[in-house]
Amino acid sequence: MRNHLKFSTRLFLSVLLLVTVTFSLGGNLLLYASFRSARDRETENALASYRLMQFTAAAVGMNQSDVQLNKVVNALRQMRLDPGAALRLRLDDDIAYSSAPAEDVFRTVERDVEETELLEQVFVGADGAHYLQITGALPLGNLSAQLDGVFPIESAYKALHTQQRLYREVFCVVLVLGALMALALMRLLTKPLNALSATSRKIAGGDLTCRAEVSGNDEFAMLAADVNHMADELNARIDDLTDAMRRQECHLPCGYADKRSESG
């Protein structure tokens, strides 16, 4: 399929596409890395808080009696939680304690966790915010207890949304600057080509004295020198051909030359 776009148009679109793709890939990678770093910090903070609560509850419930279980519940109730955070203590299928106003704050855990295992779940709550639920075993003697902790990690997602909005604004500015840069580059590269094209048209029209301007030592200067050399060689060939025709006319008989001139 024949390409009907001019060289200048293709150059402009190529530079603009290169700027767009490079900035898009680089910007998205930076956004992703920043978001992962922020969410990892939120996760580490949540894990540190959870382990502290888990250790405190396990230390209180060292014995196996109901009295000690009540102490564990009281200890969990007295723990200071961040806004949006919640705790739940489960004994088998029974809920011994929950700090959440409703059970839909927690997500279902499909299986029991091992003693040293921690299960992490990221979910979107009913308020549209993102939360991290951590589930681990709570050693209370022979009791099969599990402690669920829900921690808000929305700040990482809010930071991502802010960065995305800023990225879109910067992208528009970069797109405009890229277009201006592409226009400048297009004019810089096509100006000598247009000059060479004008010189070639004049030579083709019969003006063998026209020459291209040679400046610098780049490819455009080499091309201009080649065009000038072509014009010089063409002029020399025409001069040689004219001289040869004159010499032939000088050696012809006078009557033949007159007849030839009359017939011409």
Side-chain angles (χ1 to χ4, degrees), residues 8-237:
S8 58
T9 304
R10 284 182 289 175
L11 179 63
F12 173 78
L13 294 177
S14 299
V15 174
L16 192 60
L17 180 62
L18 178 62
V19 172
T20 302
V21 172
T22 303
F23 186 81
S24 298
L25 291 177
N28 284 311
L29 288 176
L30 288 176
L31 285 177
Y32 176 75
S34 177
F35 168 70
R36 284 297 302 269
S37 177
R39 201 179 75 170
D40 288 345
R41 287 196 301 270
E42 294 285 345
T43 302
E44 290 175 1
N45 293 335
L47 285 172
S49 299
Y50 178 85
R51 290 192 178 99
L52 178 60
M53 297 174 185
Q54 186 184 36
F55 175 80
T56 303
V60 172
M62 291 290 291
N63 297 327
Q64 305 176 22
S65 64
D66 292 338
V67 176
Q68 295 293 355
L69 180 60
N70 292 333
K71 289 183 178 181
V72 171
V73 172
N74 290 331
L76 293 176
R77 185 177 289 111
Q78 294 174 5
M79 289 182 181
R80 182 175 299 177
L81 301 176
D82 294 332
L87 285 177
R88 181 177 66 177
L89 177 63
R90 292 182 290 119
L91 299 176
D92 295 327
D93 295 331
D94 298 329
I95 298 176
Y97 169 74
S98 177
S99 65
E103 282 304 310
D104 58 358
V105 173
F106 297 93
R107 290 298 177 266
T108 303
V109 180
E110 300 296 336
R111 62 180 180 84
D112 293 336
V113 295
E114 302 295 333
E115 183 174 350
T116 59
E117 182 184 11
L118 292 179
L119 293 181
E120 300 177 15
Q121 299 183 66
V122 177
F123 63 93
V124 179
D127 56 354
H130 291 79
Y131 295 90
L132 171 65
Q133 177 172 313
I134 304 174
T135 301
L138 187 62
L140 296 177
N142 294 329
L143 297 177
S144 178
Q146 293 187 353
L147 182 65
D148 300 320
V150 172
F151 303 90
I153 56 173
E154 183 63 19
S155 59
Y157 291 86
K158 286 183 177 179
L160 176 62
H161 295 158
T162 301
Q163 292 172 352
Q164 286 177 333
R165 184 175 63 255
L166 179 62
Y167 167 78
R168 287 191 291 267
E169 296 174 355
V170 174
F171 178 77
C172 293
V173 175
V174 171
L175 193 62
V176 173
L177 294 178
L180 295 176
M181 183 181 68
L183 284 174
L185 184 61
M186 179 187 69
R187 293 181 179 180
L188 179 66
L189 295 179
T190 56
K191 183 178 180 180
L193 291 178
N194 293 332
L196 286 175
S197 178
T199 302
S200 300
R201 286 195 297 269
K202 290 181 180 179
I203 294 174
D207 186 5
L208 299 180
T209 61
C210 184
R211 295 294 182 270
E213 181 182 355
V214 180
S215 60
N217 193 27
D218 55 6
E219 287 78 3
F220 292 112
M222 295 173 60
L223 181 58
D226 291 339
V227 170
N228 292 340
H229 180 69
M230 178 192 68
D232 293 337
E233 290 294 327
L234 181 60
N235 202 5
R237 295 292 186 274

